[in-house]
Amino acid sequence: MKKAYVVAEIQVTNPQDYEAYRTQSTAAAAQYGGKFLVRGGQRIQLEGEDDLHNAGWRTVVQEFPSLEAAQRWYNSPEYQKALPIRQANSVGRLYIVEGPEEA
């Protein structure tokens, strides 16, 4: 089975109110088998331009057991409750990418 990765590039515009999103989204991800691999750590640009990161953007990567599990998480009532908090207190983009077939 192929794992799936939710990748987010986020600029938090209201850190205080965004904290409620972090709490709720973390709990929702755990319910659907997700775990955080990257959550805004130091980033070193090796190629290309990095205008977003230089402007205070952060990268988040979550791993899920499958593409279907990641989609269930995103569409879940738990995450859909948290989503408006993120959208009101940050700007960014979020996508799911499927990993390689596991041996």
Side-chain angles (χ1 to χ4, degrees), residues 35-84:
K35 66 178 181 178
F36 287 89
L37 302 178
V38 175
R39 202 166 197 177
Q42 181 180 356
R43 177 172 153 165
I44 299 170
Q45 187 72 19
L46 298 176
E47 295 185 18
E49 295 185 27
D50 193 18
D51 295 336
L52 293 180
H53 189 70
N54 290 334
W57 288 62
R58 49 186 273 154
T59 302
V60 177
V61 179
Q62 295 178 75
E63 180 184 78
F64 285 86
S66 66
L67 189 63
E68 293 77 16
Q71 290 174 308
R72 279 194 305 275
W73 160 77
Y74 184 82
N75 293 313
S76 72
E78 298 85 2
Y79 186 72
Q80 289 300 305
K81 181 180 174 190
L83 181 57

